[in-house]
Amino acid sequence: MTSNTTKPNSLQPAAEKAVDLFDNWFDPIETEVRARAREFIEELLRGELDVALARPRYGRSQRAGNEARVGVTGHRHGSRTRSLTGTFGPIEIAVPRARLSTSVGGTTEWKSQALRAYQRRTLAADALIASTYLAGTNTRRVRRALAALFCGTVGKDTVSRTWRKVKSDWDAWNTRSLAEDPIVRLILDGTVVRVRLDRKATSISLLVVLGVRADGQKVLLAIKSMGGESAEAWRTVLDDLIKRGLRRPEFLIVDGAPGLDKAIASVWDGVPVQRCTVHKHRNLFAHAPERLHDEITADYNDMIYATTPEEIEVRRKAFIRKWRLKHRAVADSLEEAGERLFTFTRLPPSQWRSVRTTNAIERLHEEFKRRIKTQTVLPSADTAAMLFWALLASGQINMRKVDGWQTLSTKPIDQPIDLAA
């Protein structure tokens, strides 16, 4: 009788047993690319030095015809080895050295413009590290995720230093002048995130302002972390924009928060304001039992998405009459919004889709929260605001032009719809 067993052979060498995943994944293409990267970088640096000295290695100066040494600005003196990590991985390169003559008769060490002093990573590598962090993970996970690419040369400290570089750009963005930016429209909204404050998880509000330029391109203007969406909080945001030179906008789109309305009235009274129709839709639901939600939605959409101001007026009156009898709280909630819910009718119909709602910011909120959901609680309020900005600044989130941008130069008409019911 023959018995089969899966017991490993005790005579098998230990080295043959310990085979980790990817150990045998040798890639000749990657190896050759890294070797060629070294050659290319070294040739780039040698060519840069040739230009600085006005002559190739072992060659005479070309600045003064055939004269032997007239015009020579310095001399080479060997090379030094530098470690450089890029998207091609870590490599060792030989950086040429030279002394350049100065105007006072001395010499100074030549410095490459392509490879900065003390630079150990390419800008593309730093961007990759920062982008991975922005994808919604922490420093240790970034290190593990990029371990194979960088062969262990990037640790969590490197990730932290790279992130600090991003912060310096964030500080500059927060103080930039807006005086020359042709902003014609603003979209304002806030969202709540959880951050760590005094070692405790705390909810804060991120107040976001998007601008629309005269050519229709959306651009992030401000992102501030505040304790809430009070009038004082929004006034701080708006005052900062005005201080940096923001012009008086021609049109505003808001979520309907009372604090924001008060802040706007104090700085831009008289500017047409559109209240987000999606926020009002949700607000109507809060005033009615769930079994009525589908019917409210049908009547509301029939009114909001009518094709002409006249049709909207007729359907609004019908909505008010019907819901005053069926469930008065719904009708009262709609009337509370007043004409601000229909300010979009004062613009050309081609723009209605882009001005009816704050969806442009809502999409950013959703994407931001999707990226940070693995972290649950962010390290600080400042980090939350900076992360939001960096997602756009790094190109991970792109914003297109608003619908109907071709008619942005058309001013709102002075005739609002008739609110009589």
Side-chain angles (χ1 to χ4, degrees):
M1 181 176 179
T2 303
S3 62
N4 296 323
T5 178
T6 58
K7 184 177 180 180
N9 186 350
S10 60
L11 299 179
Q12 186 180 9
E16 295 180 12
K17 295 180 184 178
V19 178
D20 294 328
L21 184 63
F22 305 132
D23 278 0
N24 297 322
W25 287 38
F26 172 75
D27 191 336
I29 296 177
E30 286 283 346
T31 302
E32 186 65 21
V33 166
R34 294 191 183 194
R36 293 297 175 91
R38 179 187 300 107
E39 296 173 4
F40 172 79
I41 294 171
E42 291 178 348
E43 183 62 31
L44 176 68
L45 297 177
R46 286 195 293 267
E48 185 182 2
L49 181 55
D50 289 346
V51 172
L53 294 177
R55 60 185 175 87
R57 193 177 185 183
Y58 307 121
R60 294 177 178 271
S61 172
Q62 301 299 316
R63 291 185 176 179
N66 294 323
E67 297 180 19
R69 296 188 58 82
V70 175
V72 175
T73 59
H75 63 276
R76 294 175 173 83
H77 62 104
S79 63
R80 63 179 180 276
T81 302
R82 285 269 297 273
S83 299
L84 183 67
T85 299
T87 55
F88 41 76
I91 58 174
E92 297 285 333
I93 58 175
V95 180
R97 303 182 67 183
R99 301 293 298 182
L100 303 181
S101 303
T102 65
S103 58
V104 295
T107 62
T108 184
E109 184 75 14
W110 171 75
K111 295 180 181 179
S112 170
Q113 298 299 312
L115 183 64
R116 304 185 310 276
Y118 307 108
Q119 181 180 353
R120 292 294 179 265
R121 294 178 307 279
T122 64
L123 295 178
D126 281 347
L128 178 61
I129 295 170
S131 297
T132 307
Y133 185 86
L134 288 171
T137 186
N138 56 39
T139 54
R140 288 182 175 83
R141 289 177 180 175
V142 172
R143 178 194 60 189
R144 291 196 294 267
L146 299 178
L149 176 62
F150 294 134
C151 298
T153 59
V154 172
K156 62 184 182 67
D157 291 339
T158 301
V159 178
S160 297
R161 286 194 297 270
T162 302
W163 185 244
R164 284 195 291 272
K165 291 181 182 178
V166 175
K167 187 178 184 307
S168 65
D169 292 338
W170 156 253
D171 292 336
W173 181 83
N174 270 315
T175 57
R176 76 199 188 287
S177 172
L178 301 174
E180 302 302 321
D181 222 349
I183 302 298
V184 296
R185 182 181 298 171
L186 295 183
I187 310 170
L188 307 97
D189 197 7
T191 189
V192 177
V193 295
R194 302 272 286 175
V195 301
R196 197 166 300 283
L197 184 63
D198 291 335
R199 300 184 179 181
K200 293 182 179 179
T202 306
S203 294
I204 65 163
S205 293
L206 292 181
L207 306 187
V208 183
V209 181
L210 284 186
V212 179
R213 292 181 176 141
D215 64 356
Q217 181 60 52
K218 289 175 288 192
V219 57
L220 183 65
L221 296 180
I223 169 72
K224 299 287 186 183
S225 57
M226 293 289 181
E229 295 191 53
S230 65
E232 293 75 15
W234 273 112
R235 180 63 188 269
T236 299
V237 176
L238 299 183
D239 284 346
D240 179 65
L241 291 174
I242 295 171
K243 180 181 177 181
R244 290 192 282 130
L246 180 68
R247 305 172 188 175
R248 180 183 174 90
E250 299 174 2
F251 200 89
L252 300 171
I253 307 169
V254 302
D255 62 355
L260 176 55
D261 288 341
K262 291 179 182 178
I264 288 174
S266 64
V267 295
W268 292 318
D269 190 28
V271 174
V273 177
Q274 168 64 44
R275 185 164 172 177
C276 177
T277 58
V278 172
H279 281 79
K280 173 47 69 176
H281 190 187
R282 296 171 189 162
N283 190 245
L284 295 180
F285 285 169
H287 291 82
E290 187 174 353
R291 67 181 181 82
L292 296 177
H293 287 185
D294 289 344
E295 189 175 357
I296 291 173
T297 297
D299 292 346
Y300 185 80
N301 288 344
D302 188 52
M303 169 184 61
I304 292 296
Y305 296 110
T307 56
T308 67
E310 293 74 21
E311 288 182 15
I312 292 175
E313 283 185 10
V314 171
R315 295 177 187 183
R316 178 189 177 278
K317 293 175 182 178
F319 186 100
I320 296 295
R321 287 194 299 267
K322 171 181 176 178
W323 288 98
R324 273 180 181 170
L325 296 174
K326 188 161 189 173
H327 196 77
R328 188 176 183 88
V330 174
D332 291 344
S333 178
L334 183 72
E335 288 187 300
E336 175 272 331
E339 67 177 29
R340 284 190 168 192
L341 192 63
F342 305 97
T343 310
F344 68 88
T345 61
R346 299 167 59 183
L347 294 172
S350 61
Q351 296 185 37
W352 287 8
R353 181 179 178 183
S354 64
V355 300
R356 274 192 296 243
T357 70
T358 57
N359 281 355
I361 290 184
E362 293 288 344
R363 294 189 190 100
L364 297 183
H365 292 337
E366 291 173 4
E367 183 64 18
F368 173 62
K369 291 185 176 180
R370 185 183 71 81
R371 300 297 183 97
I372 66 173
K373 66 181 180 181
T374 58
Q375 294 175 267
T376 308
V377 179
L378 296 173
S380 68
D382 289 339
T383 299
M386 186 167 61
L387 276 171
F388 195 108
W389 160 80
L391 287 174
L392 283 92
S394 64
Q396 294 197 44
I397 299 177
N398 295 311
M399 294 188 291
R400 61 179 180 84
K401 291 185 176 182
V402 298
D403 293 322
W405 61 268
Q406 297 89 342
T407 58
L408 274 178
S409 59
T410 304
K411 306 300 180 184
I413 62 176
D414 294 330
Q415 184 179 357
I417 69 168
D418 182 11
L419 295 181

